[in-house]
Each structure stands twice: as structure tokens, then as C-alpha cells.
Amino acid sequence: MEEVPQGCPGTGSAQAGRGASCQGCPNQRLCASGAGAAPDPAIEEIKEKMKTVKHKILVLSGKGGVGKSTFSAHLAHGLAEDENTQVHQSGSGWSPVFVEDNLGVMSVGFLLSSPDDAVIWRGPKKNGMIKQFLRDVDWGEVDYLIVDTPPGTSDEHLSAVQYLSAAHIDGAVIITTPQEVSLQDVRKEINFCRKVKLPVIGVVENMSVFICPRCKKESQIFPPTTGGAEIMCQDLKIPLLGKVPLDPHIGKSCDKGQSFLTDAPDSPATLAYRSIIQRIQEFCGHHQPKEEHLIGS
Amino acid sequence: MEAAAEPGNLAGVRHIILVLSGKGGVGKSTISTELALALRHAGKKVGILDVDLCGPSIPRMLRAQGRAVHQCDSGWVPVFVDQEQSISLMSVGFLLESPDEAVVWRGPKKNALIKQFVSDVAWGQLDYLVVDTPPGTSDEHMATVEALRPYSPLGALVVTTPQAVSVGDVRRELTFCRKTGLQVVGVVENMSGFVCPHCAECTNVFSRGGGEELARLAGVPFLGSVPLDPELTRSLEEGRDFIRDFPNSPAFPALSSIAQKVLSQAPARLS
């Protein structure tokens, strides 16, 4: 992956190869020839690779720290509980890391040699990594590919959508917390989805309410001063998939690398998760045969 | 030794502090805002530079949404959030046509705007410039550190929450600070426990101890733990001055203490 100059106008730009900051860049000739404006061949390659992946779901939020990764992990665990969810590896390309027989993961975290290593990359290098993750990982026959994203509406999000553009993404699940400071970023994310024509499966309101483990009374740590996700979803005519309460055990399970759904099967948060997961499956047109695992809506 | 800073829009700024975290949603904007308010109450003139271009939270937190940015000979005039003009603010939030408008930019365009925010905003005379950042170690962070380098920032306040997942990301942010030569003023642990208003039981909602452990491992000062405080969250939602209005609320002592520690920092070099 070549380093790009700081003022890189972008390979798709009209100034590609022609800008002052292009001088000395190893790709200058390529960009100036107009090759950068042609569709990236990786998009077709990814389309081919993704033919064995039945459903692709992006987990997004404009806001950081709302629980995208927590939700992605537990959505994956929940879907993997169905033993019929299959994965078959054909043995070519990068191998995902299998955390269960039918649950594989790829992350830049696996490529770092120390927990202190920082990935200090500008946009173009990040885009290259994402392209490799989508094109060069051999997922095999997979029912669901869940794509966890960082907060925002920038390189990572544009690249994920762009590289999967020919491969059909089922849709995006958008995570928020109840307060307006989150919602204002999430509305931007929803606008991003509309701009890039990404269907929105629905919104999950995380950290909805806190239930004291001692007295069992409810408190709102993140108050929904403008009506929370419910009002936002009504305004924007988007489904609210569910609300997940704040349960201190969720964080603990995540820190231990375990599924909260199996650690605390009776928690209100688990019940909320299962209901949300079922709605996502229904959206994707896939029905669970083992109904007793799920709380019906 | 760096070349002397050109006299420019940061010439009148005495101390610059960046608020960073590898992790999203830990409270960078909260801490930036409360630090600014506390410094103001200590009689200082404060500016806030919000370089989170995708999720600019600070205007709302200071009840400044929808304000217009004016031009002067030296560039943009930052928005004053109070009548006394003791806190000024620049954010991409002020440049958007609507609050729901998404800034969907790749790195180079973000870098260009951040450079402008640093060099083309007429900050005037400030005791402190607090720089709020998005999570991570990417374009915005590199652009900000490079643009501010000639002005010798005091350093970085690094924010985490107690749990391992957060600390795991924030370790990488500390590496970023080391690699870019940014001094770490200290680690702040946010969302440290919640005291139930009904029965006073304290629950470690997001686990415990991570911030202190991180500071110890990295050999940087631990500035304190800020508990979860719905009054604080509500103040930020409504753009209220939490430091002035809620001195008896659970988060107040920790936030004041953090501000005191920042005030007592001797600058690495005089600007």
C-alpha cells in the first residue's frame, strides 16, 4: 500500500495527478492518465467474493460509544446460536478467525502485534485495508456478514458502501443512545444512508434505562430530553427495532469476550436483544426454525 | 527545535490543550465543555476548537446551535457563547445549513478544514484553547497535531471509561501521543459508577478501575474519576452551565479537581 501525499485530492477527483501535491507521488502518472476515475476493479471482485454471503448488514451510528461493537458482537452470537447457520471454508484467501464453529471474525486488531500499537493511518490507507478485508478474506458460505463500523460518516463508511456496492447490502442497523447529543449525530448518519442509498433496517436505542440491581427501580442515566429514538424514528419514518436497557453485566461480558446472551439469559437486556435480532432476521427474509429461543414480537 | 511560530491567529493563545481518546463516546466533548466552563469560572478566557467534523457536539452543549460565523480581516470570528465573551467556540456545526446535514468527507478535505480552523480563526487573546477531537488516531488527529505543533501545546487530556474495551483503545491513543511528541497531561476516567438516586447503591455500570490502571501502566498522571451523573448529561443536553448551576451534583467535585490540575500545569515552554 503506497503512502499518499498529504494534500492528495483523491484518486477520483478531477485534479487527480494534476494538483500541486501530486508532484512526487508514485501514483501521479496513473492518476493523471485518468485511470483513477475508472471504477475500481475490486468492486467486481468483491461482488464475486460476496456471492457466498447471503446477507450483509452494516452496523452504524453517527455517535461514538453507543454500542455498535457490543451490538454487532451480540447480533453475531445470537444468529450463530442457530446451529443451522453454516459456514464452509474453501481454503483460499485470508482466513477469518473462528470464535465458534459457525462464527468467524476479521479485524485489524488481529494484525497488530501489541495491544499498544496504534493504527495511525490517513484515509487512503484505511480504504486499502477495508478493500482487502472485503476482497481477500475467504468467508466461504456464510448466512450473515455483519460489518461493524467506527462512528462518523467518513472514509471507512464511504469505502464500505462503495466496495460492497455491487454485492447488495441488505441494510444498516443504526445504534443510538436516548439523549439528543447522540440523536443529532445519528440523524446525520441516517442522512448519509439516504445519500448513498443504503436501506435502513431500523434503529436500536441502547442504554435506554438503568435498572438498579439492588432496589430494581429505574433511572435514566442518559435522559431522552427530546423524546429519544422513539420520536426521532417517528419523525423520520424509520422502524424502531427496540430499546436495550443498561445492564452492567453487558460490559463485563464484553470485557471477558463472552456472549451476554448466554451469560445472562433472563436479563431484560437479553430479551430486548432477542426481539431485535428476530426483527432483523425477518427483514432479511430468513426465519429461525427454533422458535423457542426467541421472544416473539 | 521547531521554527518560531509565525505571528498569526494563535499568537495570543497562552495554553493549548487537546482532549483525546482512542474510544468513542467516553466523554471527550463533555470533558472539553466542563473544563472550559470551570476555567472560565476560575477567571480565564477560554476558546474551544471542535475538530470533530462528523459529530460536532460542542455547539449544543453550550446552547450555541444555529449561530452564524462572521468574517473579519484576520479570518473567521469565533462564536461567543456568553455575553461576557469569556468562552469562544469554532465548530463545523456552525457552517452547516441544517443540523441534520452530514459532513461526508474523506481525509484530505477534513485535513484542509482543520488547517483553516487552526490558522484562519481570529481567536484573539486567550488563556486556554481546548481542542475537542473525534475518537481515533487518524486524519483529524494528525492534521490537528501538525497544525498546532508550532504553538507548543501544553499537551493532551486523554479520556477513557473504566472498562477493558475502552482502555484497550485508549492505550493506542497514548501511543499516538508518544509518536507525535504530544505530552500527556493526564488520564481522566469518565462514567465511573452510578449512584442510584432511589437507594444510594453505587453500581459500576461500565466496570471499574481501568483509568487508574491505564495511567499507571503508561506512567502518566491520573487526573480523576468522574461518576455518571444524569444532571450533568441533562445540562449538556440543554446547554446549561453545570459548573455554575449544580455544585452539589456528584460529578462536580471531580470536574473541578481536573480543572485545578490543568490550571496548575507548568507549561513546557512559554508561548
Side-chain angles (χ1 to χ4, degrees):
Chain A
M1 192 63 211
E2 301 280 6
E3 262 309 335
V4 292
Q6 202 172 317
C8 169
T11 53
S13 150
Q15 285 305 304
R18 297 185 175 90
S21 36
C22 299
Q23 300 298 326
C25 173
N27 293 321
Q28 184 184 11
R29 198 174 270 173
L30 189 65
C31 286
S33 70
D40 191 329
I43 294 176
E44 271 304 305
E45 292 168 50
I46 290 167
K47 177 184 175 185
E48 282 307 305
K49 212 54 186 267
M50 287 288 143
K51 279 190 171 155
T52 55
V53 177
K54 282 208 192 105
H55 301 291
K56 299 153 213 78
I57 300 171
L58 265 64
V59 179
L60 302 172
S61 181
K63 185 81 183 71
V66 296
K68 291 175 291 304
S69 299
T70 302
F71 184 80
S72 298
H74 288 93
L75 175 60
H77 276 299
L79 293 167
E81 279 176 9
D82 176 6
E83 286 131 24
N84 293 327
T85 308
Q86 287 290 347
V87 65
H88 166 70
Q89 202 190 326
S90 70
S92 55
W94 284 5
S95 223
V97 172
F98 285 94
V99 299
E100 283 168 38
D101 286 344
N102 64 344
L103 177 46
V105 183
M106 180 49 71
S107 164
V108 79
F110 298 135
L111 308 179
L112 302 175
S113 47
S114 141
D116 294 314
D117 279 354
V119 173
I120 307 175
W121 291 353
R122 293 185 189 277
K125 206 160 171 179
K126 294 194 284 187
N127 299 338
M129 183 92 269
I130 291 171
K131 187 197 300 197
Q132 281 195 274
F133 277 169
L134 292 170
R135 185 191 58 198
D136 299 340
V137 171
D138 194 33
W139 296 102
E141 299 279 338
V142 160
D143 289 285
Y144 292 93
L145 178 66
I146 296 158
V147 183
D148 184 32
T149 63
T153 50
S154 187
D155 286 277
E156 294 89 334
H157 315 85
L158 285 166
S159 293
V161 170
Q162 183 192 0
Y163 290 131
L164 286 169
S165 56
H168 178 64
I169 303 172
D170 289 66
V173 176
I174 309 215
I175 316 287
T176 186
T177 46
Q179 77 273 41
E180 177 59 27
V181 158
S182 277
L183 297 173
Q184 74 181 5
D185 287 351
V186 169
R187 288 192 199 96
K188 294 177 201 284
E189 196 75 22
I190 293 171
N191 265 328
F192 166 81
C193 291
R194 289 187 170 151
K195 260 189 193 173
V196 300
K197 300 192 180 27
L198 181 56
V200 174
I201 300 175
V203 172
V204 173
E205 184 182 87
N206 201 14
M207 309 196 202
S208 227
V209 91
F210 172 74
I211 299 165
C212 179
R214 183 157 158 231
C215 69
K216 311 294 180 207
K217 295 216 174 99
E218 284 187 3
S219 300
Q220 281 180 331
I221 296 184
F222 302 111
T225 59
T226 56
E230 202 158 340
I231 299 297
M232 180 187 74
C233 286
Q234 270 173 30
D235 288 344
L236 298 177
K237 300 190 181 23
I238 288 177
L240 176 64
L241 297 175
K243 300 189 197 184
V244 183
L246 245 181
D247 185 330
H249 293 110
I250 299 179
K252 287 209 177 79
S253 295
C254 287
D255 278 357
K256 286 190 286 185
Q258 287 165 201
S259 169
F260 169 76
L261 306 177
T262 42
D263 283 354
D266 300 318
S267 160
T270 299
L271 304 183
Y273 261 105
R274 293 209 183 280
S275 163
I276 292 166
I277 292 172
Q278 186 179 6
R279 289 189 67 176
I280 293 171
Q281 286 174 296
E282 283 164 7
F283 181 94
C284 295
H286 179 95
H287 294 283
Q288 284 276 51
K290 290 184 182 172
E291 289 296 325
E292 68 265 21
H293 281 277
L294 304 163
I295 305 300
S297 47
Chain B
M1 286 289 278
E2 290 132 6
E6 296 165 10
N9 279 320
L10 286 177
V13 176
R14 292 191 63 215
H15 305 299
I16 300 173
I17 296 189
L18 281 73
V19 180
L20 302 173
S21 182
K23 184 83 182 68
V26 296
K28 290 176 289 306
S29 300
T30 298
I31 297 291
S32 297
T33 299
E34 300 308 321
L35 177 62
L37 290 168
L39 292 172
R40 190 259 296 270
H41 285 296
K44 304 296 177 190
K45 247 188 136 212
V46 186
I48 307 176
L49 174 56
D50 178 6
V51 299
D52 187 346
L53 304 184
C54 295
S57 304
I58 310 274
R60 181 172 192 97
M61 291 180 169
L62 290 167
R63 211 182 278 183
Q65 317 94 295
R67 300 274 298 276
V69 172
H70 302 289
Q71 295 273 347
C72 69
D73 287 340
S74 325
W76 283 322
V77 180
V79 171
F80 288 105
V81 307
D82 58 336
Q83 285 209 334
E84 302 81 20
Q85 300 199 339
S86 48
I87 298 186
S88 55
L89 167 61
M90 181 49 71
S91 167
V92 78
F94 298 132
L95 308 178
L96 302 174
E97 298 210 342
S98 110
D100 297 343
E101 188 185 328
V103 170
V104 185
W105 293 351
R106 290 193 183 270
K109 211 162 166 180
K110 293 195 284 186
N111 296 341
L113 185 61
I114 287 171
K115 275 203 199 122
Q116 277 196 276
F117 273 177
V118 170
S119 62
D120 295 347
V121 172
W123 293 104
Q125 301 295 320
L126 289 178
D127 293 297
Y128 289 89
L129 179 65
V130 177
V131 184
D132 185 31
T133 63
T137 51
S138 188
D139 289 274
E140 294 89 332
H141 313 85
M142 286 190 261
T144 303
V145 169
E146 276 162 37
L148 289 175
R149 201 185 294 282
Y151 304 96
S152 307
L154 199 56
L157 227 61
V158 176
V159 186
T160 185
T161 50
Q163 81 264 51
V165 155
S166 188
V167 169
D169 284 351
V170 179
R171 289 173 76 160
R172 306 186 198 278
E173 195 73 26
L174 290 170
T175 301
F176 171 83
C177 293
R178 222 169 17 247
K179 284 196 168 173
T180 54
L182 193 55
Q183 193 203 347
V184 176
V185 171
V187 169
V188 171
E189 182 186 89
N190 197 18
M191 308 200 197
S192 262
F194 175 66
V195 176
C196 175
H198 306 286
C199 71
E201 165 94 345
C202 180
T203 305
N204 292 314
V205 181
F206 299 113
S207 195
R208 65 185 294 267
E212 213 160 340
E213 176 73 3
L214 178 68
R216 196 181 59 80
L217 274 173
V220 298
F222 180 63
L223 298 184
S225 304
V226 184
L228 281 162
D229 183 345
E231 206 60 74
L232 173 62
T233 314
R234 199 176 284 278
S235 290
L236 293 159
E237 289 279 281
E238 296 165 5
R240 295 186 67 166
D241 186 340
F242 174 82
I243 302 288
R244 181 192 66 198
D245 295 344
F246 298 103
N248 296 320
S249 206
F252 180 87
L255 291 170
S256 296
S257 159
I258 290 164
Q260 281 306 311
K261 291 183 179 153
V262 167
L263 283 165
S264 67
Q265 285 285 312
R269 64 182 83 178
L270 297 173
S271 48

